[in-house]
Amino acid sequence: MAELAEQAAKLALNDKAPAKASKAKKGSAAPAPQIERPEFIEHRNRIFDELYQIQQDKVAKMPREPIVITLPDGSTREGMSWETTPMDIANGISKSLAKRLVIAKVNDVLWDTLRPLEGNTKLELLDFETEEGKIVYWHSSAHVLGEACELHFGCHLCNGPPIKDGGFYYDIAVPEEFGRGVSQTDYAPLEQLATKAIKEKQPFQRLELTKEDLLRMFEYNKYKVYLINDKVPDGTSTTVYRCGPLIDLCRGPHVPNTGNITAFAVMKNSASYFLGNPEFDSLQRIYGISFPDKKMMAAHKQFLEEAAKRDHRKIGREQELFFFHELSPGSAFFLPHGTRIYNTLMSFIREQYWQRGFEEVVSPNMFNVNLWKQSGHWDNYKDDMFDLEVEKEKFALKPMNCPGHCLMFGMRDRSYRELPIRFADFGVLHRNEASGALTGLTRVRRFQQDDAHIFCMQSQ
């Protein structure tokens, strides 16, 4: 733990403000400097090649035995342990299935399609149309983006996950010698490098490494070292994946090769913090999207264009309903037109409360932190609360109404005949959301919500 704390200190910056991502239009930012291929790429490859060969030699020595592969429809196929792969089974069924195949599920565990089966298996073959197929497809695409980022920026990679709602991103630490942050002028070069990787059909190679070997492989990258020490217990191992020059800490699984990615696009960039913690380094985040069909990409971009026209932030300002200001980030300014809509909604909710037997109450905005400690919020939620010192005691703005309503209920002894008691509250709430997460009215720091609590007996 002491070692981890020391590494965390190295990730902290004196300047806590995140590095702002450039908003420059294409062609308006300074051109990217010529970045030499980072030496750490060769360092990683040397270690990977050495240990990958050892792993392959072990696999070659594993006993080959006949196995039975059971498909979802109950039919079976015969195979050989440590030789037959899910892709072999897919090819045996149909070439079109093999071409569409993204990932396999072996005994309910996601599995690389080119990874040999180790015993009798219940096998599912998943394409992009499945939820799990999409996640794996976008995860693999994130690795392609990471490869492009390393070659273009000479950067250190941090995290590169898929996004459940669609697409993926990579957080990167751009070196000072690059001379600037990420801008839209970098999108085309990144897409060119990604397209090159896709055309090369780089295989995704899986390698299991001990914690010691992981630390040796990623010793150049303080972010990876922190993640390894934080996530990988001593004496255990985890996996890395290689595609082309990229090797990244990753549990996988992945598509067979980068050629499975047909349409790839860089969509936007923003600032972020390492692990979302403002006490750690500020980073640059690059978002992308990919599809197995170019028509799907065209349809997605058309959808985004239409959605942009209906963006509530754009409509709010154009119709003078509400706006946001950098002097109070995450807090909406409701203008007269917007306030009329706001009050109409409030009146409707109040009417619904009355019909359902709720009584409206008003509770304080600020409480001594002893209340939050008693409720358990302080131990689990304090980083997302606004706290301040008042007369040498610590207070915090309320992020929710629950504890305050409990104080109201407990102000005197209650009779079971009073139950159920229904409290409704439109009080102002504050949550210290990360600046990079703030999104119009859907993710804010100051808000009021349709909030109520019912105090009742179990029998009620």
Side-chain angles (χ1 to χ4, degrees), residues 269-290:
N269 65 281
S270 67
S272 66
Y273 290 112
F274 179 56
L275 301 181
N277 187 338
E279 296 298 317
F280 288 170
D281 285 4
S282 58
L283 305 170
Q284 300 281 294
R285 177 171 294 179
I286 303 175
Y287 294 86
I289 189 68
S290 62

Side-chain angles (χ1 to χ4, degrees), residues 321-322 333-354 360 426 428 441 446 448:
L321 302 175
F322 64 88
F333 290 77
F334 282 93
L335 298 166
H337 296 323
T339 302
R340 279 191 282 274
I341 295 173
Y342 188 101
N343 288 335
T344 300
L345 289 171
M346 194 87 80
S347 297
F348 170 76
I349 295 171
R350 278 198 173 99
E351 183 177 332
Q352 296 301 311
Y353 277 148
W354 294 332
E360 188 174 344
F426 291 108
V428 175
L441 293 176
R446 186 266 187 203
Q448 289 166 268

Side-chain angles (χ1 to χ4, degrees), residues 97-130:
L97 172 61
K99 186 176 181 180
R100 298 194 316 273
L101 187 60
V102 171
I103 200 65
K105 186 180 278 190
V106 174
N107 297 327
D108 297 322
V109 176
L110 290 178
W111 197 271
D112 296 299
T113 60
L114 298 180
R115 181 181 172 188
L117 303 172
E118 299 172 6
N120 292 336
T121 296
K122 182 177 69 174
L123 178 66
E124 295 179 63
L125 302 171
L126 308 176
D127 62 15
F128 183 80
E129 296 307 314
T130 64

